[in-house]
Amino acid sequence: MTTPVPGAPRILLVEDDEVIREATQLALERYGFPVETAADGLEGLERFRAAPPDLLLLDVMLPLLDGVGLCRRIREESQLPILMMSARTEPIDVISGLEAGADDYVVKPFETAVLVARIRTVLRRTGIAPAAPAAPAAGPGHAVRVIDDLEVDTGALEVRVAGRPVPLTPTELRLLLEFTASPGVLMERQTLLERVWDYSWGADSRVVDVHVQRLRAKIGAARIETVRGFGYRLRRTA
């Protein structure tokens, strides 16, 4: 077994199929990731609470507590990055995982290199969140973007609506930063995939659509306008 790289992001893998679980663990450890495993949703929840990882990798179909339910439970307590795995490709299955709070998904069977690339991409996105939430002093690059009663502090990475703090996942925050950088400007789905998800290829645009839906639920549905067939734009509501 390959020794994990010291300081590498820790992964909690929740997968009920023993063969897939062990093969995936060994493959990720060869890439230097320390990996802890769980065989069902309740065990995964216990291990998450005992020692929160840097990333959660979970199967959709799990005994005792399925992956979607586990994702929802964890989202109630943490904004850590979550990557779903599923052999199902029907839209409802993909959307259910994303709506539960997952940052991305990968379809089984997958190449290890593809899974690792997805993991690294999700982890890069979480790098925008400071380890400690203390706000830095104002200076170059530090600004508060104000659109109506929406405030986005680009230095402290804090969001408020009508003065009320709004907790966002790292992916949701990056999406909002893209919108507030160019209010009123049409943002095509492919552009958002490239800038927020680091996907320069034609990835599934449902990832964008579901995250926009989640963002609307937190900051107000009327703020983000759908431009049918193209994408979205942030607009003023007042």
Side-chain angles (χ1 to χ4, degrees):
M1 182 180 297
T2 304
T3 301
V5 175
R10 295 178 300 106
I11 295 174
L12 173 58
L13 167 65
V14 188
E15 166 64 66
D16 63 314
D17 186 301
E18 183 177 1
V19 174
I20 295 177
R21 185 172 65 249
E22 292 182 357
T24 304
Q25 179 181 13
L26 290 172
L28 292 176
E29 287 178 342
R30 281 196 292 270
Y31 278 84
F33 294 106
V35 180
E36 186 175 0
T37 65
D40 61 67
L42 290 181
E43 182 186 5
L45 184 61
E46 291 174 358
R47 292 186 180 276
F48 155 73
R49 287 172 171 168
D54 295 299
L55 178 139
L56 183 71
L57 178 62
L58 57 92
D59 188 32
V60 171
M61 300 299 293
L62 294 171
L64 303 183
L65 177 64
D66 68 21
V68 173
L70 176 57
C71 185
R72 286 198 181 100
R73 295 279 288 274
I74 289 175
R75 273 291 170 257
E76 293 173 356
E77 305 176 23
S78 172
Q79 301 298 334
L80 70 83
I82 298 175
L83 183 63
M84 305 282 285
M85 303 182 296
S86 178
R88 297 182 172 186
T89 58
E90 292 298 319
I92 186 62
D93 299 310
V94 173
I95 291 171
S96 294
L98 293 172
E99 287 184 339
D103 293 279
D104 202 354
Y105 71 94
V106 61
V107 177
K108 298 178 181 177
F110 47 75
E111 296 287 340
T112 300
V114 172
L115 177 61
V116 170
R118 291 289 186 91
I119 288 172
R120 287 175 173 167
T121 297
V122 172
L123 288 170
R124 278 199 302 272
R125 292 203 299 269
T126 67
I128 67 172
H142 177 84
V144 177
R145 299 172 183 171
V146 180
I147 296 92
D148 299 328
D149 62 349
L150 171 67
E151 299 179 15
V152 180
D153 189 321
T154 64
L157 298 177
E158 295 176 347
V159 177
R160 298 179 186 277
V161 173
R164 176 180 57 86
V166 177
L168 300 179
T169 66
T171 303
E172 291 165 353
L173 179 55
R174 286 194 63 152
L175 186 59
L176 183 58
L177 287 172
E178 289 297 330
F179 281 128
T180 56
S182 303
V185 176
L186 171 64
M187 304 294 291
E188 296 184 352
R189 288 178 176 85
Q190 184 58 40
T191 299
L192 292 171
L193 280 169
E194 293 174 3
R195 295 182 180 179
V196 177
W197 282 267
D198 293 336
Y199 292 163
S200 57
W201 43 277
D204 193 336
S205 64
R206 289 175 295 188
V207 174
V208 177
D209 297 336
V210 174
H211 276 81
V212 167
Q213 178 182 340
R214 282 165 43 184
L215 186 58
R216 281 171 166 160
K218 293 183 177 182
I219 68 169
R223 297 183 196 278
I224 302 176
E225 178 186 3
T226 300
V227 181
R228 192 172 299 277
F230 293 95
Y232 303 94
R233 62 178 161 225
L234 185 72
R235 67 184 186 88
R236 297 186 180 275
T237 59

